[in-house]
Amino acid sequence: METETVNGSFPVHVTPDDLDDWEKALEYLAEGRFVSWLNFGRTVQFKIKPLSPGVIGVSVHDGPSSQVTVSVPLFPATGWIDDQRARLAQARRALSI
């Protein structure tokens, strides 16, 4: 995650089950619902909440290591969920190699 005041990166190892969970999360986000992803305590946790049309709140919590949480509003481009679905398909292909 990078903002004007915060710059952090977290290595994240995802499993096929994590990708299944992300697919469900994308369905919820498309419906305008709150999601929490990777919330099992083994890696960073993501929370995404629709705030208003065109705005989502994203929180990243590094529970296993630093205990740092960063929350930012984001203004994703139109079609961002479809873009995420395409990236999900790429990730699935990469994991099946």
Side-chain angles (χ1 to χ4, degrees), residues 59-73:
S59 293
V60 180
H61 176 66
D62 180 25
S65 182
S66 68
Q67 297 295 310
V68 169
T69 300
V70 176
S71 299
V72 295

Side-chain angles (χ1 to χ4, degrees), residues 32-82:
R33 296 168 57 187
F34 166 85
V35 300
S36 180
W37 183 58
L38 297 177
N39 55 349
F40 302 109
R42 66 174 168 76
T43 187
V44 296
Q45 176 184 16
F46 296 87
K47 293 182 180 182
I48 304 169
K49 180 179 181 181
L51 300 176
S52 63
V55 183
I56 57 175
V58 177
S59 293
V60 180
H61 176 66
D62 180 25
S65 182
S66 68
Q67 297 295 310
V68 169
T69 300
V70 176
S71 299
V72 295
L74 296 179
F75 306 87
T78 302
W80 72 275
I81 292 177
D82 289 334

